[in-house]
C-alpha cells in the first residue's frame, strides 16, 4: 500500500482544536474505520469551524447521512460525505484526505473573510 502523506497528516490532527484571535475556533476529528458502503475511503471525519458563541458555522463530515433533495423521479441515494454551511447541507465529493484539508481551510478562510 502506498504511503499517503495527506491521510497521515489528517489522522495526526485528530482531536486538535485551533483557537483564532477573532474568537472563532476549529476542531478536527479523524479516524480510520473499516471501509463500507457509506465510508468507502475508510476515514470517519469531522472538521468544524465555530463562532465565538461556540455555534458551528461550517463543517465537513461523514458522521451521518443526508437526505437527497426531493425529486419527482429518481432513486433515493443517501450521501454520507457532506458539508454544512450554517444551516445548509451540501454533498461533498471526497477525493483524498489532503484535498479535504485544503477544501476545509479554504472555506474557513473564505467564511472569515466574508462574514461581515
Amino acid at each position: 500500500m502506498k504511503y499517503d502523506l495527506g491521510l497521515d497528516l489528517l489522522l495526526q490532527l485528530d482531536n486538535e482544536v485551533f483557537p483564532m484571535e477573532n474568537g472563532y475556533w476549529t476542531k478536527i476529528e479523524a479516524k480510520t474505520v473499516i471501509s463500507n458502503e457509506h465510508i468507502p475511503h475508510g476515514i470517519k471525519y469531522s472538521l468544524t469551524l465555530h463562532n465565538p458563541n461556540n455555534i458551528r458555522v461550517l463543517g465537513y463530515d461523514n458522521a451521518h447521512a443526508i437526505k437527497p433533495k426531493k425529486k419527482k423521479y429518481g432513486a433515493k441515494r443517501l450521501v454520507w460525505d457532506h458539508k454544512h454551511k450554517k444551516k445548509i447541507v451540501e454533498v461533498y465529493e471526497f477525493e483524498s484526505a489532503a484535498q479535504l484539508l485544503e477544501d476545509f481551510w479554504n472555506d474557513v478562510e473564505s467564511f472569515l473573510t466574508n462574514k461581515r
Side-chain angles (χ1 to χ4, degrees):
M1 188 175 214
K2 187 178 171 187
Y3 176 71
D4 184 338
L5 180 62
L7 176 58
D8 190 43
L9 176 59
L10 178 64
L11 295 173
Q12 286 181 31
L13 291 171
D14 183 42
N15 287 318
E16 289 290 333
V17 174
F18 299 95
M20 300 176 190
E21 291 180 11
N22 59 7
Y24 282 75
W25 55 279
T26 62
K27 181 172 184 182
I28 296 177
E29 297 175 322
K31 297 184 180 356
T32 56
V33 296
I34 296 172
S35 298
N36 61 54
E37 67 177 305
H38 305 299
I39 306 174
H41 42 68
I43 307 162
K44 187 170 181 157
Y45 62 87
S46 174
L47 291 75
T48 56
L49 170 67
H50 302 260
N51 70 16
N53 296 318
N54 293 331
I55 297 170
R56 180 186 67 187
V57 293
L58 175 68
Y60 284 66
D61 72 78
N62 62 355
H64 57 88
I66 61 171
K67 294 178 182 178
K69 292 183 179 180
K70 294 185 180 198
K71 296 180 181 177
K72 190 169 185 175
Y73 302 103
K76 291 183 179 180
R77 178 176 171 246
L78 295 178
V79 177
W80 253 253
D81 295 291
H82 57 278
K83 63 181 175 178
H84 301 258
K85 288 185 177 179
K86 295 190 178 182
K87 295 183 181 189
I88 299 170
V89 181
E90 301 172 350
V91 173
Y92 176 73
E93 294 294 329
F94 182 92
E95 294 177 32
S96 68
Q99 189 64 54
L100 171 67
L101 286 166
E102 183 177 337
D103 292 343
F104 174 69
W105 288 114
N106 284 339
D107 273 356
V108 166
E109 182 179 3
S110 176
F111 181 88
L112 293 175
T113 301
N114 298 316
K115 68 179 172 55
R116 292 177 179 82

